[in-house]
Amino acid sequence: MKKGKLAKLYTITAAAVLAGSLIMPVAPQTAHADRGVVDLWKAIKPLTTIASAMNTGAHPDDEHSAMLAYLSLGKGVDTSSVIANRGEGGQNEIGSELGNALGIIRTRELQEASKITNIHLENLSEKIDDPIFDFGFSKSPDETLEKWGEQVAYERLIRKIRTIRPDVVIPAFLNEPSTHGHHRAINVITVRAFKDAADPNIFPEQLKEGLTPWQVKKLYLPAQQSDYSVSVPVGDYDEIYGASYVQLGEESRFMHKSQGMGRHYDEGPSFNYYKLDQSVVENKKKETDFFDGIAYTFDDLAKEVAKQPGGEKIAADLKKLQKDSSEVIAAYPQFATVAKEVHEMLADVQKTTASVKAAALPAETKTDLIHRLDIKQTQLNKASAEALSLVTKVKPETTELVAGQTTKVTVTAYNGGQSKVSKVELKLNVPDGWKAKALSTTSFSQLGYNQTVQTTFDVSVPANASLFQPYAAPVITADVSYTLSGQAANSHVVSADAIAVLPSFSLVPSPSATVLNTQKPEEPIPVKVTVKNYNPGAAQTNISLDVPKGWTVEPKAAPLAFDAKGETKSVAFTVKATASVKPDQYTITAVASSGGKESRHGAQVIRYPHLGTTYFVQPSTVSIQAFDLKVPAGLKVGYVSSGFDNIDQYLSQVGVNVTNLTAKDIESGDLSQYNTIVLGIRAYGFRPELIPSNARLLKYVENGGNLVVQYHKPEDKWKPELAPYPIKIGTPLIQWRVTDENSKVTMLAPDHPLFNTPNKITDQDWDNWIQDRSAYNPAEWGKEYIELISNGDPGENEFTGTFLSAKYGKGTYTYSSLVWYREIPALVPGAIRMFVNMVSLHQ
């Protein structure tokens, strides 16, 4: 059967696992039915080249997916993607998670996308609330690097380059004014790192840790067809994968569901273009690929080594590896033959490594050769498991653990191939301080076709075990070693699902944030604490609240008894502030006390079909913002949610009667019962009933209603005529936003009811905003609108179409590009006061 026909048996989403990452753990792997010859090809193709490339970007989904698919899946190049932050400041098209919870989702999406393109994934951001944080849109690389900490970001990038040692580096973006400041910042430090990573005087402390300087051979920048050095044929069709590299790249981009990424492309020629920016090798104006003038195969490497004193023997060894790799490829797709050839090459790699270590070569040459041979050994271990159809698994009794718990974890190895392996060893890896005791033998003499061996371990979690960190290495992994044809290999495996140490009692207070109206300090604050028992069995605890000094809480404490793990119960508390409470920020903390220990954290379960299950462990706190707020009695609001914000919840908290409108409500319901109807951000793009019902909405306004429309993008099906008087959104979108949350705001119509009723808005109400002021501002609008504010980033022209309001018939239509969906959940007083005013018109 031809390779192309074989490929038709498998989809392009065949399970692709990362080759062993040098410095980051492999993400948990999802089992797919699409295995076999496609995965085998993915595993052996990298054996044919010793070249490497790195793509750098700012956020998850910044990667040049088609180019990465071409290099990794098509050429077999050892390919890495280095992404700066976790995308915490982005929007979410699949749920309401924002901030760190969204960062966790986007990281998992990036991990799954990286599996599909078979690349190494690295992040500069190392933990929750890392300095390298997605703080929202930025127009400036200087602002970005200042907020990240330029030295922090640069040190980490240099460390990645010196560890991964790529031959070619390609930043995903240019440093040009029309580009996101985060993208520009990554370009700036990547371009600078081309020389600095090779300079021992730059971050010399890294050298003391064992890293060595590394000179990248070439640096390329994105380019256009009119001016380029290399054209990458990403439209080439690969018969084995049954897809073009553009299609393979988009398959990975579809994993970025929270950002709405992924497109369907037809087959046919297409190219990505790149221009050589810096190089330490001779180059031509037009190059055949990124690796012109760079050693690409073992034969190329052998020629370079042979020129050095004492390099003849090593050169001969490298030529042998070239022959070995050719024999592996020639054996495809015969699994048993491929396995035999892989193990022969593995033996030769180990022999060559030993020879290099013993050779009298220059230190730099030895370091480089050992690094490339280590990568090849990792790739060969992966290829061995694929060729043998060896399936290794870590199967925990439970993936949800607590400190002090003992559990069982089973390691299994299954042989689905025709080659019998011997000397099988099963090893479980746990963190320092943990204990793992095998309950049976871990050694097996042979493992034949359709046979499974397994060992169960008793695992003890220490009492001081750290709570789950979503960006840390998996806490439990396994290694399965075995021998074929006298040569040992190793399969490293992690659990299919994240194994997490969670709070013994997870505490989730509701609300997580609320407003205290200082005009009514006597009003009680209801706090409901939902408690989930993660202890392995029955458990008891006392639940209480830590409140600010002088505040009262009833009851003082509430005992809870659980019969089993996973059981959930709730406790209701009533909190009252002091009569003299001042405008300020306050915090309430839920506490579970049991056996002399306290739990003060909650575990937010994050579960999506394309990601599996992970967790966000965070303090069990209620944030309270105290300020003066007037809310009209009897105010009734209909809210049309797009799923991207939860402003409706906060309106309810402050005393507004809010109803979430269904499609039926919008299409045929009585809209006149609502004082105000609010459309959530981008609602026209995600509520399909809105455009056909737009005339009903405008009639509602004409008859005296108050319609508030929050910002839209043009791609949200927005058309100027959806408004009663045309509103055209400015493009390119990147230029029509205000990113400085502290920028000066001028109220152009200070006497307008929006600034006076029921709350008097002053300059102080524009203080303490977060992340941005506005996004996707209008560029043109009808003369009927009143321009309410003027605002812009420092040094730029100010926008006057950010906040527009007009009378239409008996009612009012207001369009606002202010980022209410960020400000209101952050309890920004001025934003809440203005939004209440906005929904209170005509009261």
Side-chain angles (χ1 to χ4, degrees), residues 66 70 230-237 244-246 269-272 288-289:
Y70 173 79
V230 171
S231 62
V232 179
V234 294
D236 282 4
Y237 192 88
S244 71
Y245 299 110
V246 168
S270 63
F271 298 86
N272 281 9
T288 56
D289 66 24

Side-chain angles (χ1 to χ4, degrees), residues 104 126-129 466-475 498-502 601 614-617:
I104 293 169
E126 296 175 349
K127 61 185 184 301
I128 294 290
D129 293 330
S466 299
L467 293 173
F468 178 71
Q469 297 292 332
Y471 304 150
V475 291
I499 299 175
V501 177
L502 302 175
H601 287 81
T614 188
Y615 307 89
F616 177 26
V617 178

